[in-house]
Amino acid sequence: MARSSNDGCFCCVRVCLCADGNECTKASAQSCGECIQAGEKCGWCIDKDFLKQGEQKSTRCDEIEALIKKGCSEASIENPRGTVSVNKNQSLTDRTKDGVKLKPDQITQIQPQKLTLNLRSGEAQTFNLIFKRAEDYPIDLYYLMDLSYSMKDDLENVKNLGTDLMAEMQKITSDFRIGFGSFVEKTVMPYISTTPAKLLNPCTSDQNCTSPFSYKNVLSLTSQGSQFNNLVSKQQISGNLDSPEGGFDAIMQVAVCPNQIGWRNVTRLLVFSTDAGFHFAGDGKLGGIVLPNDGKCHLQDNMYTMSHYYDYPSIAHLVQKLSENNIQTIFAVTEEFQPVYQELKNLIPKSAVGTLSSDSGNVIKLIIDAYNSLSSEIILENSRLPEGVSISYISHCKNGVSDKGENGRKCSNISIGDQVMFEVAIMAKGCPSNGKSETIKIKPQGFTEEVEIVLNFICECACHKEGIPNSPVCHFGNGTLECGACRCNEGRIGRVCECSKDEVRTDDLDANCRMDNGTDICNNNGDCVCGACECKKRDNPEERYSGKFCECDNFNCDRSNNKLCGGHGRCECRKCICEANYTGSACDCSLDTSTCLASNKQICNGRGTCECGTCKCTDLKFQGPTCEICPTCPGVCTEHKDCVQCQAFGTGEKKDTCKEQCNKFILVKKKKKEELPQPNDQPYINHCKERDANDCWFFFTYATKNDSTVEVHVAEELECPSGPDIIPIVAGVVAGIVLIGLALLLIWKLLMIIHDRREFAKFEKEKMNARWDAGENPIYKSAVTTVVNPKYEGK
C-alpha cells in the first residue's frame, strides 16, 4: 500500500480513495496529459462542443461517469489504461534436465525474467512471480575465522573442517566449494602493540604467534576439501590488545573481492566465526583513522592493505554490499556474544546466528542448521524505485497461506522443489520529471537470479500526437489544437489563447464581464479572463456555475424534503426541470393518482380531490389520506342493525316499516355464525355483532359487491344469556354464613384462651411475691412466768 501525494487520498493495490473530493476536478488540468496524471479515474472529453458558456477548459477533465452525465459520449473520452507485457518467460528448471547436469547460469528458479509495464498515474499494474527452489543447486561457502589468541583451541578443530564439512554438504548438493580467510585487527595503536617485538610475536614469550594482520584470504573457494585442511593446519594464532575485533573490515573485503575469493553466481554463504565483539564505523578515530570505508577491494597478495587508511565499515554499508553480492551470512559466535550478534542479524537481511561451542566442536552442525534455516525462507527485495513509484507484495505460500504488507515479501518453510507465488503491484503517481523509461529489478535475497522490469509512463493521451500546432482556431495560431482544446503557447492565456498574460487584467476587459452594467464581475462567481467569465469551481464536483456571466448554477433551486428539486428533477440555471410525472417549483407535486385510491377503488373515496398525490377532502365529515375516515358517522353495523333485525327476525324498532325502509340490500340467512362469509371470501366485507331487546347477540356481515349491490348474511342462531342457577347460589350463601360464624367462634375462643393464660400467669407472679408477718398474736398469753432473782449475778 502507499499514500498518494494528495492529502486525504489513500491508495492500495488497485484502488485510490480520496476523502476530500474529486481529484480530477481539483487538478484544474489544462491539457489531456495533465488530466490523466491526476488520477486513474480521470478522463478528458475531446468533443469540441462539450464546454458550456462560462466553463473553464479544465471542465473537460473529470471522472468518466461525470463526463457522460455532462453529455460527453464515451467515444469522445480519452482514458488510456496501463498494460503488462512479458518479454522473457523461461520455465522453471532443476539442476538436472533430460539427464544432463546444467551449469549454474542455466538453472531457472524464478519466472518470468523480464517484463514491461506501461503505468498510468494512480493505476496499479499487477503481475505474478513464481519461485521454485531447484534441486542440487551449487553452494559456495567461505569460512572467515577470528585468529586472535582467544580462538587458539577453535583453530585446532577447524583444521579438519574442510573434508568433514564437504562430506556433510554432499548430502545437500553435489557441487560444493569451500574457502578460508582469517582476521585479527587493524595494525595500528591502540588496537595492537606496535613495539617491534610485539609486531613479530604479539603473544607472550613462551607462545609462538604470527604477526598481527587485518584480513588475510588464506584459501580461495575450491572443491578440494583436503586442500582446505592442509592450508588451515598451517595457520597460527595471532593477538591484539582490545576485546572487539576488526571482523567488519574482513567481511567487507570478502563481499567486494569476488575475483580473489572466487565467488560464482550460485548460493553464497559466509560463515563468520568469533568469540568477541566487533568494531564499526567511527571506532577508527581511536587510531587516527578518519576516512570512511570506501567499499572497494584492496587485496594485494591476499592481504588487506588499507586497514590503517580506511575506517571500519558501518552496518548499513555492510548490509548494502552483502545484498548487492547475494551473500548470506552465518554468525557462529560463542554464547556470551549471542545477544549482540542477534541484534546484528536483525539488521542484516538473509543472515543467521548460531551458538559456537567453546572449542568450535559443533561448527559443522551449526553451519548445516543455519543453511537449512536460510534456504527455507524466500524474501523478495527490489532495487531503488523512481520518484512517485510504489510497490506492494502479496505472498501465496505453502498450504494456502497468504500475507501482505512487509510479510507479503516472504515465504517460510520452503523445501527443495516447493513452488510459491508472489503477487506484485506497481503504481506510479504522476510522471517522473524526465518522463523517460526506468528499470527496476526484483530478486530473492541471497540468490543471483533477478526479474528485470521496464517502466514506461503514460504521460500524454493518444490525441496528443494528432495536435495541430499554431492552429487558427487558437486565436490566429497562438496555440496547439490538441484533444479538442487549445494548448496555449508560452505567454498566452484564455480558452482559445486569445490574450497575453500581460493584458489579462484591464478595466476595458473587465467591463465585458459585468452583467447589465453592474458592479460585480462575473456575479462574484468567476474570474474575468481575457474579457470572458471563467466560472469558479465548487468543492462538490456535482455543483457548478455556468452562463456568460456565471449567473446560472445547478444547486440553488427549490428543495423539498431537503432534496434538490424534490429528488424528481434537475436544476438548470436555478430552475427545476421536473420529470414527467411531477410538477411544481420543487418538483414536489406528483401527477400520479394511485396514492389517492380508496379501498373501494374510488379516488379519495368519492369525497375529495387528488392534488399532488394527496387527497383534499371536500366532504368535511370525512378525513384521512383517502377520505375514508368519518369519526362522527355511525358505523356500518349500527346503521343497518334495525333493518337486519326486522328482516331476519321480525323484531326491532323498524319491524312495522321494514318493507319501506329496509329494501337497500339482499338478505341471505345462515343457520350458525360459523357459516357466515369469512374476510377473504369477498372484498369490502364487514363483520357485525349486535344486541337485541332481549339482550341476545345476533351476527351478520355487510358487503358491497363490484356492481354496487349490498349483500347481508345473517346467522339465525342467537346467543342469549342463560338465567342464574338459584340452588348453587343459595347453598353458597348459607355455606358462607356458616363458615363465617365458625370463624368468628374460633376467633372468640382463641381470644378467651389467651386472656385466661394471662390472668393465671399474673396470679402465679403475685403468689411468688407474697411475704408473711412473723410477729406474735397480741391476744395470746403464755402460761409460764419466768422470774429473775435480782441478786443473782450468774456465779
Side-chain angles (χ1 to χ4, degrees):
M1 294 185 178
R3 187 83 174 179
S4 77
S5 59
N6 293 333
D7 291 342
C9 296
F10 186 81
C11 299
C12 59
V13 174
R14 292 186 176 87
V15 182
C16 279
L17 299 176
C18 292
D20 57 348
N22 185 331
E23 58 186 346
C24 307
T25 56
K26 286 191 173 185
S28 297
Q30 298 299 308
S31 66
C32 187
E34 293 179 14
C35 179
I36 63 173
Q37 293 181 49
E40 65 167 327
K41 297 181 181 179
C42 302
W44 177 271
C45 184
I46 62 175
D47 186 354
K48 64 179 181 179
D49 300 323
F50 172 71
L51 294 181
K52 296 180 181 179
Q53 191 173 31
E55 290 186 333
Q56 301 179 26
K57 191 191 307 182
S58 60
T59 307
R60 292 181 178 274
C61 182
D62 207 336
E63 295 181 356
I64 306 302
E65 294 181 0
L67 289 175
I68 295 174
K69 285 183 180 179
K70 291 178 183 178
C72 188
S73 64
E74 291 190 44
S76 299
I77 297 177
E78 281 285 327
N79 182 30
R81 311 312 300 175
T83 58
V84 177
S85 57
V86 179
N87 307 114
K88 186 177 181 182
N89 193 25
Q90 294 179 355
S91 300
L92 302 175
T93 60
D94 286 320
R95 181 72 188 274
T96 303
K97 183 178 180 182
D98 299 330
V100 179
K101 184 169 289 189
L102 301 177
K103 296 179 179 179
D105 56 357
Q106 295 176 318
I107 302 173
T108 303
Q109 296 183 109
I110 192 166
Q111 180 186 12
Q113 294 79 40
K114 185 175 181 179
L115 304 97
T116 299
L117 273 59
N118 295 318
L119 296 178
R120 159 81 185 271
S121 177
E123 180 188 20
Q125 296 302 318
T126 305
F127 56 91
N128 294 331
L129 293 182
I130 302 174
F131 182 87
K132 177 183 176 183
R133 278 187 63 193
E135 187 177 359
D136 196 26
Y137 196 74
I139 299 174
D140 284 354
L141 185 147
Y142 191 84
Y143 195 92
L144 183 59
M145 185 175 180
D146 177 8
L147 284 189
S148 59
Y149 189 78
S150 58
M151 293 288 287
K152 180 179 180 181
D153 55 345
D154 300 79
L155 180 60
E156 295 300 321
N157 284 315
V158 174
K159 289 180 179 180
N160 295 321
L161 178 66
T163 53
D164 295 342
L165 183 58
M166 186 76 68
E168 288 295 326
M169 294 300 289
Q170 289 288 345
K171 300 175 183 178
I172 300 175
T173 176
S174 61
D175 190 352
F176 175 72
R177 298 198 311 165
I178 189 171
F180 183 82
S182 59
F183 66 91
V184 181
E185 187 55 275
K186 288 184 180 295
T187 56
V188 296
M189 282 289 288
Y191 313 110
I192 67 168
S193 176
T194 55
T195 60
K198 291 294 184 181
L199 285 176
L200 292 175
N201 183 5
C203 305
T204 58
S205 58
D206 59 338
Q207 298 289 336
N208 187 20
C209 296
T210 188
S211 299
F213 57 91
S214 177
Y215 163 67
K216 177 168 56 177
N217 177 31
V218 178
L219 174 65
S220 299
L221 291 164
T222 177
S223 58
Q224 303 297 321
S226 58
Q227 187 180 359
F228 179 95
N229 293 350
N230 292 334
L231 284 175
V232 173
S233 63
K234 298 177 182 178
Q235 300 303 305
Q236 288 181 309
I237 291 295
S238 185
N240 61 312
L241 295 178
D242 61 341
S243 176
E245 315 294 0
F248 277 15
D249 273 341
I251 294 176
M252 177 62 75
Q253 293 304 301
V254 171
V256 299
C257 298
N259 295 331
Q260 289 85 341
I261 303 300
W263 293 117
R264 297 177 296 172
N265 286 331
V266 297
T267 298
R268 299 175 176 181
L269 300 178
L270 170 61
V271 179
F272 183 84
S273 176
T274 184
D275 64 348
F278 48 82
H279 284 295
F280 53 89
D283 289 353
K285 293 180 180 179
L286 295 173
I289 303 172
V290 294
L291 285 179
N293 195 286
D294 64 350
K296 295 180 181 179
C297 182
H298 297 288
L299 291 185
Q300 292 183 8
D301 296 327
N302 288 322
M303 295 290 290
Y304 179 39
T305 60
M306 302 297 285
S307 67
H308 64 288
Y309 191 75
Y310 289 116
D311 192 6
Y312 302 98
S314 66
I315 295 175
H317 200 180
L318 274 184
V319 170
Q320 177 190 355
K321 293 302 179 180
L322 290 172
S323 178
E324 286 179 0
N325 292 279
N326 306 307
I327 296 174
Q328 305 177 57
T329 311
I330 300 172
F331 296 104
V333 297
T334 55
E335 187 173 1
E336 178 186 358
F337 288 93
Q338 271 283 320
V340 175
Y341 282 91
Q342 192 66 44
E343 291 297 326
L344 182 61
K345 175 252 183 188
N346 295 334
L347 299 174
I348 300 179
K350 212 62 174 167
S351 62
V353 177
T355 303
L356 190 67
S357 62
S358 59
D359 60 356
S360 299
N362 67 331
V363 67
I364 293 180
K365 183 178 185 304
L366 185 153
I367 292 173
I368 298 297
D369 292 343
Y371 168 75
N372 290 332
S373 174
L374 290 173
S375 61
S376 65
E377 184 176 52
I378 306 302
I379 304 176
L380 294 185
E381 64 178 3
N382 51 267
S383 60
R384 184 180 180 87
L385 297 173
E387 180 184 359
V389 176
S390 60
I391 189 168
S392 62
Y393 299 86
I394 299 177
S395 60
H396 301 281
C397 307
K398 291 173 61 177
N399 304 321
V401 177
S402 296
D403 212 335
K404 56 186 178 180
E406 281 303 309
N407 290 330
R409 293 174 174 265
K410 60 185 178 182
C411 283
S412 302
N413 300 320
I414 307 301
S415 304
I416 293 175
D418 287 342
Q419 182 171 299
V420 295
M421 185 180 74
F422 296 89
E423 185 178 346
V424 185
I426 298 179
M427 184 174 66
K429 192 64 180 177
C431 281
S433 55
N434 56 16
K436 297 180 180 179
S437 298
E438 299 279 356
T439 300
I440 63 173
K441 294 181 180 181
I442 299 176
K443 69 173 184 177
Q445 290 180 359
F447 293 84
T448 57
E449 296 178 68
E450 59 186 16
V451 180
E452 182 181 340
I453 303 171
V454 179
L455 304 179
N456 298 321
F457 301 93
I458 303 176
C459 301
E460 291 290 351
C461 302
C463 57
H464 169 72
K465 299 177 181 179
E466 302 173 1
I468 304 174
N470 303 321
S471 171
V473 176
C474 301
H475 197 72
F476 306 108
N478 285 315
T480 301
L481 183 61
E482 175 186 302
C483 301
C486 287
R487 177 180 280 188
C488 300
N489 295 337
E490 186 67 27
R492 302 296 296 185
I493 198 170
R495 195 161 165 179
V496 290
C497 313
E498 64 270 27
C499 290
S500 68
K501 289 184 178 180
D502 298 332
E503 59 183 18
V504 169
R505 289 287 185 186
T506 64
D507 293 337
D508 292 339
L509 292 176
D510 287 350
N512 297 327
C513 298
R514 294 188 177 96
M515 185 176 181
D516 299 329
N517 294 324
T519 58
D520 294 336
I521 294 178
C522 302
N523 287 284
N524 292 325
N525 295 326
D527 297 318
C528 188
V529 180
C530 300
C533 286
E534 287 193 358
C535 302
K536 295 178 181 178
K537 292 183 179 181
R538 302 273 296 176
D539 291 337
N540 184 349
E542 299 294 329
E543 300 175 356
R544 60 184 181 274
Y545 295 105
S546 61
K548 181 178 180 181
F549 302 100
C550 302
E551 72 278 11
C552 294
D553 62 61
N554 67 342
F555 54 87
N556 271 324
C557 292
D558 291 341
R559 294 176 179 267
S560 177
N561 293 327
N562 202 29
K563 294 181 179 179
L564 190 67
C565 297
H568 302 298
R570 67 183 186 277
C571 182
E572 291 187 2
C573 204
R574 302 188 178 184
K575 289 186 179 180
C576 286
I577 307 299
C578 301
E579 296 174 358
N581 289 332
Y582 290 88
T583 186
S585 62
C587 300
D588 54 350
C589 184
S590 174
L591 301 178
D592 185 11
T593 60
S594 61
T595 56
C596 296
L597 290 179
S599 57
N600 58 6
K601 300 302 181 183
Q602 293 183 347
I603 293 179
C604 299
N605 197 29
R607 292 181 170 86
T609 58
C610 186
E611 297 180 7
C612 297
T614 304
C615 283
K616 298 293 180 71
C617 302
T618 54
D619 190 338
L620 299 180
K621 293 191 300 181
F622 290 86
Q623 55 185 256
T626 54
C627 301
E628 292 182 276
I629 300 174
C630 181
T632 60
C633 298
V636 173
C637 297
T638 305
E639 183 180 353
H640 297 90
K641 166 188 172 182
D642 294 334
C643 287
V644 173
Q645 190 176 0
C646 77
Q647 284 199 25
F649 306 106
T651 59
E653 295 179 1
K654 295 183 179 182
K655 63 180 180 178
D656 297 330
T657 59
C658 192
K659 291 183 179 180
E660 296 80 10
Q661 297 183 9
C662 301
N663 56 2
K664 297 180 180 179
F665 56 81
I666 301 171
L667 185 71
V668 179
K669 294 184 179 181
K670 301 290 183 180
K671 288 185 178 182
K672 297 181 179 181
K673 67 178 181 179
E674 288 79 8
E675 299 178 7
L676 294 176
Q678 299 302 310
N680 296 329
D681 290 349
Q682 58 184 356
Y684 328 124
I685 193 168
N686 293 286
H687 282 256
C688 301
K689 176 183 178 182
E690 296 293 334
R691 189 191 299 271
D692 61 12
N694 298 322
D695 284 338
C696 293
W697 294 99
F698 63 94
F699 303 88
F700 65 94
T701 62
Y702 183 92
T704 303
K705 293 187 174 182
N706 293 332
D707 57 1
S708 299
T709 60
V710 179
E711 187 175 80
V712 176
H713 291 72
V714 63
E716 295 179 338
E717 185 179 56
L718 303 177
E719 284 188 3
C720 297
S722 57
D725 193 348
I726 301 299
I727 294 176
I729 294 175
V730 172
V733 172
V734 172
I737 293 172
V738 171
L739 291 174
I740 291 172
L742 289 173
L744 292 174
L745 286 173
L746 290 172
I747 293 171
W748 176 82
K749 181 65 176 174
L750 179 61
L751 292 174
M752 291 304 295
I753 291 172
I754 293 171
H755 179 266
D756 289 346
R757 287 186 176 181
R758 285 180 176 176
E759 289 297 324
F760 181 75
K762 182 177 180 182
F763 168 76
E764 289 291 330
K765 183 178 180 182
E766 291 178 352
K767 180 181 176 182
M768 294 295 295
N769 293 334
R771 295 289 184 272
W772 300 105
D773 191 2
E776 293 183 358
N777 191 341
I779 304 174
Y780 172 73
K781 296 291 188 176
S782 175
V784 180
T785 301
T786 303
V787 179
V788 179
N789 187 352
K791 296 292 186 175
Y792 177 71
E793 295 179 357
K795 295 181 179 179

